[in-house]
Amino acid sequence: MPQFYFHVRHDRVLFEDRRGGVFPDIAAAWNWALSDVRSMIDEEQFSGPTDQHWVEICDTTGTAIASLPFVRVASLN
């Protein structure tokens, strides 16, 4: 199964995920990121407006495969 990394960006600052996680596919990784961002929003684990934060889902080469803006998740609640 593929390994994915979930880097959190706040404006121009990168919080790099060095552990990552193993998921069957990008859809499963996306769902995990969605759940994690929901938790961060609910528990107020970040500072500043949601439109300045997002998760980049990357593969083992460091290539960003998908980007999940916090503001998109906040609008789902």
Side-chain angles (χ1 to χ4, degrees), residues 47-69:
S47 61
T50 55
D51 65 345
Q52 294 179 359
H53 294 80
W54 63 95
V55 172
E56 291 177 351
I57 303 172
C58 298
D59 64 13
T60 56
T61 68
T63 302
I65 301 171
S67 180
L68 178 59

Side-chain angles (χ1 to χ4, degrees), residues 1-7 17 19-36 55-60 65:
M1 282 198 284
Q3 176 100 10
F4 296 96
Y5 295 88
F6 304 87
H7 306 311
D17 173 14
R19 285 182 164 177
V22 176
F23 297 89
D25 54 29
I26 186 62
W30 177 270
N31 288 332
W32 186 90
L34 184 62
S35 176
D36 196 41
V55 172
E56 291 177 351
I57 303 172
C58 298
D59 64 13
T60 56
I65 301 171

